[in-house]
Amino acid sequence: MKLSGLRLHRWRLLRCALAGLVVFSILASYIYLSVRPSYALYDRLHRSEVESANRFLHDSANDQAKFVVFRQLQGAGFNNQAQEILLFHHLALTSNRTYVYQPLVWRPRGEKATVPLSAFLYGVTDSSVPFAGFEDACPPESISHIRLRTKGVTHAALWTRALALLQSPARCIVVDDWILNWSYLASSAIPAIWPSFSQYLSSQFAWSPRILEISNRTYHTLNLRPNHLDIPGDRYLAVHFRRGDFEDHCRILSERQTGFTTWAVLPELQSAILSPPLDTANGSSVMEHCYPSIERVIAAIKMQTERHPLTTAVHVLHDGAWDHPTVYYLTHRLGSELKAQSLGWVGSPIARVTHSGQVPLQWGEADWAVAVDLEIARRADGFIGNGYSSFSTQAIALRLGADSGKLTDISIY
Ligand SMILES: *[C@@H]1O[C@H](CO)[C@@H](O)[C@H](O)[C@H]1NC(C)=O
Ligand SMILES: *[C@@H]1O[C@H](CO)[C@@H](O)[C@H](O)[C@H]1NC(C)=O
Ligand SMILES: *[C@@H]1O[C@H](CO)[C@@H](O)[C@H](O)[C@H]1NC(C)=O
Ligand SMILES: *[C@@H]1O[C@H](CO)[C@@H](O)[C@H](O)[C@H]1NC(C)=O
C-alpha cells in the first residue's frame, strides 16, 4: 500500500514534468517561429536586387552613370539607419550620382545579420544599385576615395561641400568618413536641408509592398481609418509612447544638454511643442520632453483632439517587448487614463485605444513591425511624438514631406 502510494506520487511528478516540458517547447517554438523572419523571401529579394543591378549596368542608357558609396551606420535602430539611407540617397541624386545601397543591419539578430533593403525602402532600391553592382562597375583602381569631414568644415558647410565634391567627374567615389554623425543630425544645419529633402520624400519615398499590405490589414483588423483611404473605420490619432531603454538614454542626453533630433528642430515645428518649451541647459526640462509623464503625454493628445473633434480612437505606438514588459503596463495605464479624462474634453471622447502589440502580424512578419508602425503614424489624422526619437521625427518627415501634411496635425510633447 505504502509502496504503490509512492509510485503513484512519482508517476504524478513525472507526468507534471513532462507536461511542463511540452508546454515549454510549444512556447519556445512559438516564440522562435513568430520572430523568425521570412528567409525565403529575403533570399528572393536579394537575388532580384542583384538581377536589377545587372540590368542597370547592361543598359546603355546608364553608360555615363556615376556612383557613390557612403560609409553608413552599421547597427543602431531601424529608424536611425533608414533616416541616414534616405539622406544619402537624396544627396546622391542631388549630385547626379547613382546611390550604392547596402543592406540594413538587423541588430536584434546580431552585428552581422543583414536584411535586404528592398524588403523595406523600396523607393531607394528602385533607382539605385546594390554593392555587388558597384563592384562590377568599379574595379578598385577606378575608385576615388574621398573624405568630406576635413578640419574646419562646420556642420553648416558640410552638405554643400559634399555636393560640390560629389559633382566631380570621377565615375566611382567612395566616401571614407561617416558624415551624418549624431551631433550633425541634432544641429541647426539640418533645417537647411529640409526644403530639398521634403521634395525628395514626396517624389521618391515608397515602402515595400509587404509593408503596405500589413498596414492595410491592420486598418481593417483594428477598424482604424487612415487619412489616405476611403474605408470604414474610426478616425484616429497616433501617439508615439517611447519608453523601453529611453529612460537611461534620456538621462545621458540631459547630462549632455542635448536638444531634439533632426526634423524636430525645424523652426516651423516649434509651435507644435507642448509648453513649457525645451531648455537644454535645464536637465529637468530635457527629461520632461524626452521621458515625459503620462499626464504630459495626455496633455499633448488633448491638443490634437481639440483640432480633430471627430476622432474617437487613439493608436499607441510603443516599444513593448519581452525584454521591456513594463511598457505594456504603462501603455495600458496611458490608455485607461486617456479614456477616462477624455470624457470631460470638447469633441468626442476617446472610446477606443489600440496599440502596436495588436498589429495582426503573421508568421515571418516580425521584422516589418516597426515600419508598419511608422506607416500607421503617418496616416493618422493627428500625430503626437517625441522630439528626441528618430521614429517620431521620421513619422513627422513623412507626414510633412512625403504627404504635404499640415503642421497643426502634429504635436511634440
Ligand atoms: C547626370 O548624369 C547623367 C548620366 O547618368 C548625364 O547624362 C547628365 O548629363 C548628368 N546631368 C548633369 C546636370 O550633370
Ligand atoms: C561630428 O562632426 C563634426 C564636424 O562636422 C565634428 O566636429 C565632431 O567631432 C563629430 N562628432 C563625432 C562624435 O564624431
Ligand atoms: C486591404 O485589405 C482588405 C481586407 O483585408 C482587402 O479586402 C483589400 O483588398 C486590401 N487592399 C489592398 C489595396 O491591398
Ligand atoms: C527646469 O525645468 C523644469 C521642468 O520644466 C522646471 O520646472 C524648472 O522650473 C526649470 N528650472 C529652471 C531653473 O528654469
Side-chain angles (χ1 to χ4, degrees):
M1 189 63 200
K2 210 174 177 188
L3 195 67
S4 74
L6 196 64
R7 251 189 217 148
L8 197 67
H9 183 64
R10 273 198 196 147
W11 171 233
R12 278 198 186 132
L13 259 171
L14 189 68
R15 266 200 329 202
C16 261
L18 272 175
L21 202 66
V22 168
V23 169
F24 175 78
S25 346
I26 291 175
L27 208 67
S29 341
Y30 177 82
I31 291 174
Y32 171 75
L33 285 173
S34 63
V35 301
R36 185 183 187 279
S38 180
Y39 286 120
L41 173 69
Y42 284 174
D43 283 347
R44 214 160 52 237
L45 288 175
H46 181 71
R47 279 198 303 277
S48 83
E49 286 181 356
V50 173
E51 280 160 18
S52 77
N54 285 335
R55 273 197 306 279
F56 181 94
L57 298 174
H58 289 113
D59 182 346
S60 58
N62 298 320
D63 281 352
Q64 301 301 312
K66 299 189 288 183
F67 302 89
V68 59
V69 180
F70 292 99
R71 184 167 153 210
Q72 295 185 177
L73 271 178
Q74 299 284 319
F78 170 80
N79 280 297
N80 297 108
Q81 293 182 67
Q83 161 181 288
E84 188 181 69
I85 289 168
L86 293 170
L87 282 167
F88 280 146
H89 185 216
H90 170 48
L91 184 56
L93 292 179
T94 314
S95 53
N96 204 20
R97 284 185 178 270
T98 300
Y99 173 62
V100 177
Y101 62 90
Q102 301 162 49
L104 289 169
V105 176
W106 209 254
R107 195 174 51 173
R109 283 194 292 276
E111 297 295 315
K112 295 236 155 45
T114 58
V115 296
L117 191 61
S118 56
F120 295 85
L121 299 178
Y122 188 76
V124 174
T125 57
D126 195 34
S127 58
S128 311
V129 296
F131 195 73
F134 176 75
E135 286 179 312
D136 285 347
C138 297
E141 65 277 10
S142 72
I143 297 175
S144 307
H145 286 267
I146 63 170
R147 299 182 77 82
L148 298 173
R149 222 181 234 309
T150 46
K151 249 208 174 84
V153 178
T154 59
H155 284 324
L158 181 73
W159 192 264
T160 38
R161 173 176 158 81
L163 278 176
L165 289 180
L166 292 176
Q167 271 158 357
S168 83
R171 176 167 154 85
C172 305
I173 288 184
V174 173
V175 177
D176 284 326
D177 53 347
W178 178 44
I179 56 173
L180 302 180
N181 73 19
W182 307 116
S183 74
Y184 178 78
L185 293 177
S187 77
S188 55
I190 279 289
I193 308 174
W194 175 247
S196 68
F197 185 66
S198 64
Q199 277 174 21
Y200 159 83
L201 288 176
S202 78
S203 64
Q204 302 286 329
F205 184 83
W207 288 122
S208 69
R210 197 60 174 262
I211 289 167
L212 296 178
E213 182 195 322
I214 304 170
S215 308
N216 176 47
R217 191 193 306 149
T218 306
Y219 303 134
H220 285 88
T221 311
L222 299 186
N223 196 36
L224 298 174
R225 185 197 145 123
N227 62 15
H228 70 306
L229 292 178
D230 192 14
I231 59 171
D234 295 336
R235 294 179 162 280
Y236 69 99
L237 302 174
V239 54
H240 183 209
F241 189 46
R242 185 70 169 87
R243 281 311 202 236
D245 57 347
F246 235 45
E247 192 166 9
D248 293 333
H249 180 64
C250 292
R251 214 162 272 137
I252 295 169
L253 295 178
S254 76
E255 281 159 17
R256 295 190 186 151
Q257 309 195 335
T258 311
F260 288 157
T261 186
T262 57
W263 315 116
V265 307
L266 290 177
E268 56 265 46
L269 265 174
Q270 299 317 296
S271 58
I273 300 166
L274 186 70
S275 63
L278 174 66
D279 171 11
T280 51
N282 175 349
S284 319
S285 172
V286 172
M287 283 309 281
E288 178 176 55
H289 287 84
C290 185
Y291 202 81
S293 63
I294 284 184
E295 282 314 304
R296 187 169 166 86
V297 177
I298 291 179
I301 297 173
K302 183 166 185 264
M303 276 171 71
Q304 283 300 320
T305 58
E306 284 161 8
R307 294 173 197 169
H308 300 280
L310 299 179
T311 305
T312 55
V314 167
H315 185 73
V316 185
L317 309 144
H318 64 73
D319 41 31
W322 62 270
D323 53 342
H324 296 301
T326 53
V327 176
Y328 291 104
Y329 163 72
L330 293 172
T331 301
H332 176 76
R333 244 189 67 199
L334 170 65
S336 48
E337 287 183 23
L338 176 62
K339 279 192 214 165
Q341 290 189 27
S342 73
L343 293 172
W345 297 351
V346 284
S348 323
I350 301 300
R352 247 166 21 97
V353 177
T354 54
H355 65 90
S356 295
Q358 295 171 313
V359 168
L361 294 172
Q362 295 169 358
W363 296 129
E365 291 182 341
D367 285 359
W368 285 292
V370 57
V372 170
D373 272 2
L374 207 43
E375 175 66 7
I376 296 171
R378 169 187 177 187
R379 303 302 190 177
D381 281 357
F383 174 68
I384 299 99
N386 185 322
Y388 282 99
S389 147
S390 59
F391 176 101
S392 285
T393 52
Q394 191 87 317
I396 290 171
L398 290 177
R399 295 180 65 97
L400 297 179
D403 305 340
S404 311
K406 290 205 308 238
L407 279 163
T408 49
D409 291 344
I410 295 170
S411 292
I412 296 174
Y413 47 66

